[in-house]
Structure formats: C-alpha cells, structure tokens
Amino acid sequence: MPEPIVHFDNVVFRYAEKEVLHGLTFDLHPGEIVGLLGPNGAGKSTTLKIIAGLHAPASGGVTVCGLPIPEQAVSVKQKIGYVPESAALFESLTGQEFLELSGRLHDVPEPVLQERIAGLLETFALTSSRSSQLDTYSKGMRQKILIAAALLHSPDLVLLDEPLTGLDVNAAILVKDLLAALAASGKTILYSSHVLDVVEKICNRVLIIHGGNLIANNGPEEIIAMTGETTLEDAFRKLTHAGPRESPELARLIEGLQL
C-alpha cells in the first residue's frame, strides 16, 4: 500500500488544560473520500485544523504528505486545500481578485492560474459575477468561491468542513460529482459533515469521533452492518448514544409545545 497522505499516531490535543482528543490513530490514503463524523464538540474541527497546520498536537505524531506537523506546517499548507466551516472573505475584493490572490499565495504560475480560474468560475456558474465584489455575493456564491479557492493549486489533500452549506440542490450535486472526480484522479478528500445521507453515498470510509475518541473507522456499509441498523444515520445515533428518534424527552417537548 502506498504511503498514507495523512498519518495520525496516538494524537492528543488540549485546549488549555482540557484534553479534547484522546490518542487518535488513523491513516488517509490517495484516492479516498473519507467522512469525518461526530456530535458537536467531538473534535472534528480540531482534527481538521491539526491536519491543516493550524493547531499543534500536545503529543503523538502527525504527518501530512510525508511531512511532519507542526515542524513543516508551512510546506504542508502548499499541498492542501481547506474549506473551513466558517471562513472570512476579503469582501472588498471581486470574485476574480480573491481567486487570483489565493492562487498567487500558492505560487500557481500566472497562465495556469488564469486558466484554472476561468474553468472554476464557469463550472460554478460564477463567470458573470467575477467582477462583482464579494460583499454582493449570496451565501451559496461565497461557498462556491471558497471551494474554488481551495482547489486552484491542485492540492493532494482537500479538507472540507460542511462544504454544502448554503448551496442549492444543483450546486450540491455538482460538488459531490467534483469530489468523486478528484478522488478518481488520486486526490484525497476528508469530508466533515452532519449530513449523513451524503456521507453514506460518497465516502469510501468513515471516521466517527465521539468525546475525543475514534470509535469507528470502517466503510459506511460495515458500520451499518455492525450496528444492526439500516442507514448510516441510525448507526451513528446508536454509536454516539443519541437515543431513539421517539425518545421520552422528545415526546415531552412536543407535548409542551402543544400547550
């Protein structure tokens, strides 16, 4: 098997004195689309930020594209594309200017950069808005620009945190098809989301973090089978002890709302 694109070896992370990741170990390989799941506060975004070189682990080993984190964090950032859940844009820039800035920061040669920008703007139906300032863009248009910026330098690894937020149905389908094409070309995708039916459809493997621990690292079908459920959503609920859909707490809430 080829060298993993991402290698986590017993990684621990702390915010101040609170330990939020308790010895995570996993690998990501070329050509995979891997889902990263967990309840709020489980450690998903922290895991993504460690891979992106934004956080340094308290202990354990991390390599990305063969480079150690945090020692080679700057070099790693040249090899990844990252779409965070909440990202700030330079709203005084136009869409074209923002993509040019992103590409030049990654040292994409100018002729290649302009060709890729044109292609991405066309793909995301943003060509007519390329000269408009970002503060005039809708939420969905901003998300498309962020995804485009993350792909401009043809990264080996793409990190996505709720990438379909704000996208309409057609744009969401386009992004899912794009991710499949990237994986087929050998890129690695780490896809964090709460939309489990999408994860079930597009991911080869799923990592589930609960309370800072890795509790599953299997294909979606394997996770469903080992829990005795019929969907990844129901399997996730069982593994994270979310409780049944028809819980007593939910019944009491509905009853209270009807008073």
Side-chain angles (χ1 to χ4, degrees):
M1 182 174 290
E3 180 180 341
I5 293 294
V6 175
H7 176 62
F8 261 47
D9 182 15
N10 199 31
V11 171
V12 172
F13 182 82
R14 297 183 182 93
Y15 284 111
E17 298 302 315
K18 182 181 180 182
E19 187 171 294
V20 294
L21 296 181
H22 313 305
L24 262 62
T25 297
F26 64 85
D27 290 337
L28 305 180
H29 296 281
E32 284 192 303
I33 304 178
V34 179
L36 181 61
L37 305 181
N40 290 333
K44 303 185 302 300
S45 293
T46 298
T47 300
L48 289 172
K49 288 176 181 178
I50 291 173
I51 296 171
L54 300 176
H55 287 335
S59 63
V62 180
T63 60
V64 179
C65 301
L67 301 171
I69 291 288
E71 294 83 359
Q72 296 290 325
V74 174
S75 297
V76 164
K77 290 173 186 177
Q78 291 287 339
K79 297 178 178 293
I80 66 172
Y82 180 32
V83 180
E85 184 175 9
S86 299
L89 294 170
F90 297 104
E91 295 194 342
S92 61
L93 297 181
T94 66
Q96 174 79 23
E97 290 169 339
F98 181 79
L99 293 178
E100 287 176 342
L101 173 63
S102 299
R104 289 166 185 164
L105 287 172
H106 283 95
D107 296 322
V108 180
E110 196 65 24
V112 175
L113 175 60
Q114 294 302 329
E115 183 176 349
R116 288 179 181 173
I117 288 174
L120 285 163
L121 288 172
E122 182 177 358
T123 296
F124 285 116
L126 292 173
T127 301
S128 62
S129 304
R130 67 192 307 162
S131 298
S132 300
Q133 288 186 317
L134 292 174
D135 62 1
T136 68
Y137 279 33
S138 68
K139 185 174 183 179
M141 293 167 68
R142 291 170 182 238
Q143 191 69 4
K144 291 178 184 179
I145 283 288
L146 287 169
I147 295 171
L151 300 178
L152 266 177
H153 56 295
S154 188
D156 296 320
L157 171 66
V158 182
L159 308 175
L160 302 170
D161 197 349
E162 298 292 355
L164 304 185
T165 300
L167 298 183
D168 62 28
V169 173
N170 288 333
I173 292 171
L174 172 63
V175 170
K176 288 183 282 187
D177 290 343
L178 179 58
L179 296 182
L182 289 170
S185 72
K187 307 295 187 184
T188 304
I189 316 293
L190 184 58
Y191 184 103
S192 178
S193 179
H194 291 295
V195 186
L196 272 66
D197 59 336
V198 174
V199 172
E200 183 176 346
K201 290 175 183 176
I202 71 170
C203 292
N204 314 114
R205 187 158 52 93
V206 174
L207 308 175
I208 300 179
I209 301 176
H210 184 42
N213 296 296
L214 186 65
I215 62 171
N217 181 1
N218 307 88
E221 298 85 358
E222 294 174 275
I223 293 174
I224 293 168
M226 73 184 190
T227 57
E229 300 293 343
T230 57
T231 67
L232 183 60
E233 180 177 337
D234 288 336
F236 175 84
R237 291 172 64 87
K238 178 176 285 188
L239 288 169
T240 58
H241 312 293
R245 294 175 184 272
E246 301 299 331
S247 65
E249 293 82 3
L250 182 58
R252 284 196 295 270
L253 173 61
I254 296 300
E255 183 179 353
L257 292 173
Q258 293 173 340
L259 293 177

